[in-house]
Amino acid sequence: MPGLLRGVARTAVVAGTATAVSNRVSRRQAGRWAQQEAPQAAAAPPPPAPAPAAAPAADDMNTRIEQLKQLSTLKEQGVLTEEEFAEQKRRLLG
């Protein structure tokens, strides 16, 4: 009887340890995945610029040039794909 009790106790300890380790690994992996996804979510493309109603003024043209430069920078950094860049550029230029 003492040998049987010792075997059951050992099995319980091994199973409890395995469960604790497995849970810790799962939590650590979930934390790493959350850290990897956070920068991607924060680097979403800028909202599209509103379409102009009239001929662009000089200030409006300077603003468009700055926005094009920002879009180009985002594309070079890999935040925007070529298709997204082309769409944003098309919207910006009308």
Side-chain angles (χ1 to χ4, degrees), residues 8-35:
V8 170
R10 181 180 303 143
T11 302
V13 168
V14 169
T17 303
T19 301
V21 169
S22 175
N23 289 341
R24 182 171 182 218
V25 168
S26 295
R27 282 192 305 270
R28 190 172 15 179
Q29 284 178 340
R32 287 181 183 165
W33 291 337
Q35 287 176 349

Side-chain angles (χ1 to χ4, degrees), residues 1 10 21 26 30 32 51 67-68 75 80 84-85 89:
M1 190 72 171
R10 181 180 303 143
V21 169
S26 295
R32 287 181 183 165
Q67 289 174 338
L68 281 172
K75 187 183 93 171
L80 293 176
E84 291 170 332
F85 175 74
K89 186 171 114 178

Side-chain angles (χ1 to χ4, degrees), residues 17-94:
T17 303
T19 301
V21 169
S22 175
N23 289 341
R24 182 171 182 218
V25 168
S26 295
R27 282 192 305 270
R28 190 172 15 179
Q29 284 178 340
R32 287 181 183 165
W33 291 337
Q35 287 176 349
Q36 288 176 353
E37 292 173 1
Q40 293 172 357
D59 287 341
D60 189 36
M61 187 58 96
N62 289 336
T63 303
R64 287 182 180 189
I65 291 171
E66 288 301 317
Q67 289 174 338
L68 281 172
K69 287 179 183 178
Q70 290 173 352
L71 286 173
S72 176
T73 302
L74 289 173
K75 187 183 93 171
E76 290 171 2
Q77 293 173 347
V79 175
L80 293 176
T81 64
E82 186 66 38
E83 293 81 23
E84 291 170 332
F85 175 74
E87 175 66 20
Q88 294 296 331
K89 186 171 114 178
R90 183 188 62 77
R91 288 182 182 178
L92 184 63
L93 297 177

